[in-house]
Amino acid sequence: MQIAASLLSADFARLGEAVAAAERGGADLLHIDAMDGRFVPPITMGPGVLRALRPRTRLPFDVHLMVVEPERQVDAFLDAGAARIAVHVEAAGHLHRLLTHIRARGAAPVVALNPATPPEAVAWALAEADGLLVMSVNPGYAGQAFIPAALDKLRALREMADASGRDITLAVDGGVNEATAGPAVAAGARLLVAASAVFEGEGGIEASLARLRAAASALPSPRISGR
Ligand code: DX5
Ligand code: ZN
C-alpha cells in the first residue's frame, strides 16, 4: 500500500517546505493536480511548479491531468519530470495512442475515471496502462466527501486488473482519510491519494501521514457470528 500526498491542499506559498515534510513523513509519491478551468472549473498547477520542485525532493511526481485535450499537455509535464501521468478517459480522444506515447517517453501511463464513468470504459485500455485512478469525488476540489459507490468500482477494477495478468496499480483519489482508507484498501486500492487529510490534518503533515498509513494498514475487525 502506498500513499501519494496531493499538493492541492498544501500552502502554495510554502510548497517546498510542504514537500519536504511529506517526504519526511514517508509519502511514497507527490500527487500534482493539474486543472485547466475547462475539464474542471478551477485552474491550479502547471509544469513550472514541477520544475521548481524537482530539485527539492527525491519523491516521484504523480501527475493527474484534469484538462481537455490532454495530448497537448503531456509532453510539458514529462519534460518537467513527471514519473506517472494520469489522463481522464472522458477527456482523451485517442486514449490508446496517448498511453503508448507516455510509456515511450519513459513514464508510467495511468487512466483516471470520473465517479459516473463505468469500469468497462477502461477495459480496452488495460493492456497499455500501468495504473488506474478511481475518482471517489467529482474532480476539481480538495476536501469533498468520499462517494461510497467508488468501493464497488474499485472491486470491479481490481478483478479486471487481476484478470489482465498485468501489474496495474489501482489508486483511489478524493475524500481519502482515516475513515475511508481502510475500506478503500479492502476493496482493492493499493495507492491512496490524499490532500486535505495530509496537509490539513491535526498535528501537521508528518503526524497526519502516519495516522493515514496506520488506518490504511489496519486489518478489518473479524465478524462476530450470531451463534
Ligand atoms: C480532486 C483531486 C484530488 C484532491 C483530493 O479533484 O484530483 O487529488 O486533491 O483532495 P482530498 O484528499 O482533500 O479529497
Ligand atoms: Zn488528483
Side-chain angles (χ1 to χ4, degrees), residues 135-150:
M135 293 310 300
S136 36
V137 298
N138 288 290
Y141 308 93
Q144 304 181 80
F146 188 95
I147 298 171

Side-chain angles (χ1 to χ4, degrees), residues 6 8-9 31 33 35 64 66 135 137-144 173-176 193-197:
S6 165
L8 194 56
S9 290
H31 184 85
D33 286 307
M35 308 185 190
H64 178 189
M66 284 159 277
M135 293 310 300
V137 298
N138 288 290
Y141 308 93
Q144 304 181 80
D173 184 6
V176 173
V193 180
S196 49

Side-chain angles (χ1 to χ4, degrees), residues 134-192:
V134 174
M135 293 310 300
S136 36
V137 298
N138 288 290
Y141 308 93
Q144 304 181 80
F146 188 95
I147 298 171
L151 295 175
D152 288 332
K153 197 185 293 182
L154 283 170
R155 282 186 277 270
L157 288 170
R158 177 82 267 159
E159 275 190 27
M160 289 165 63
D162 290 347
S164 77
R166 299 188 59 252
D167 186 11
I168 297 173
T169 304
L170 188 51
V172 62
D173 184 6
V176 173
N177 55 34
E178 288 170 64
T180 56
V185 171
R190 292 295 173 267
L191 173 59
L192 304 177

